Amino acid sequence: MVCNKSMMMLCKCVNLALLFRVIMLGLDHFSVSGIDCSVPVRNGERCEVKCVRPSQLSSNEKEEIFNLLQVNMKDLYEQTWGWNKDEKWKDVFHPESRLIVVSVSPISSEEFGTTEPSVKTISAFVAFRFTWDDEDEPEYPVVYVYELQIAATHHRLGIGQKLMRHCGDIARHWKMQKLVSYLLIFIL
């Protein structure tokens, strides 16, 4: 059997398509890949980090995530491309998206003998997808970061750096060729 370049490319695409199917099964990418999912937080806070599909989020969690995005980015979007809440919602919570969500809560007072429950709030998230580097002429499988948002109360702790490192670890684990992200920067 003769193997020409187009046949090899077809085999490569079939193998990558199978890999994408496995990835999209909805596995917890942290437990599958053995990634250390800790992030830095302030003293007196407890942190929970999870990697989930949008369908695994409660409606309250989705609202909290979207509010964080809106607080951080709405004004900037309005000054550049325009803000379309419905389109942005669809983008972030697309069925193929995965989100790494960082929730923090004060160390509960129940540890000190009282029964007040601690309130958990989402302080950061990254939304990403497994996709191709180019829609028209796909060549490489990539992890594409759509959003990375951190609450102002948790800036300058290294959370963004750690979340991007998590995305890189996930990309390496699944043998993606690249980690892609575009930044919206507005200079006054």
Side-chain angles (χ1 to χ4, degrees), residues 23-174:
I23 291 170
M24 293 310 198
L25 288 174
L27 303 170
D28 173 354
H29 297 290
F30 287 150
S31 63
V32 169
S33 59
I35 294 170
D36 167 23
C37 62
S38 62
V39 296
V41 292
R42 298 183 191 285
N43 284 338
E45 289 181 327
R46 181 163 286 150
C47 177
E48 176 187 304
V49 181
K50 61 183 178 180
C51 184
V52 295
R53 294 185 328 249
S55 63
Q56 294 171 295
L57 294 167
S58 71
S59 57
N60 287 344
E61 288 173 314
K62 286 181 183 179
E63 286 294 332
E64 199 172 346
I65 286 168
F66 199 77
N67 286 339
L68 176 56
L69 169 63
Q70 199 163 284
V71 164
N72 287 353
M73 300 300 294
K74 183 179 177 190
D75 291 343
L76 192 55
Y77 271 93
E78 285 175 340
Q79 296 172 38
T80 54
W81 297 318
W83 176 258
N84 184 324
K85 182 179 179 178
D86 294 335
E87 286 301 312
K88 200 50 153 160
W89 182 278
K90 287 180 196 172
D91 208 26
V92 172
F93 301 114
H94 189 280
E96 292 180 2
S97 289
R98 299 294 178 267
L99 291 96
I100 301 174
V101 181
V102 178
S103 300
V104 295
S105 59
I107 292 179
S108 119
S109 49
E110 43 194 60
E111 293 175 18
F112 303 109
T114 64
T115 57
E116 291 180 33
S118 57
V119 177
K120 218 187 299 188
T121 59
I122 294 174
S123 64
F125 76 93
V126 61
F128 67 94
R129 292 186 206 162
F130 297 96
T131 188
W132 295 96
D133 61 334
D134 187 323
E135 289 179 7
D136 298 326
E137 295 181 29
E139 189 174 352
Y140 299 108
V142 301
V143 169
Y144 185 104
V145 174
Y146 282 79
E147 291 292 339
L148 171 62
Q149 300 297 327
I150 302 162
T153 56
H154 286 82
H155 284 184
R156 314 247 353 118
L157 294 175
I159 294 173
Q161 182 180 29
K162 187 74 175 195
L163 289 174
M164 286 303 292
R165 197 169 289 137
H166 288 336
C167 290
D169 291 343
I170 290 168
R172 270 188 293 287
H173 175 80
W174 292 107

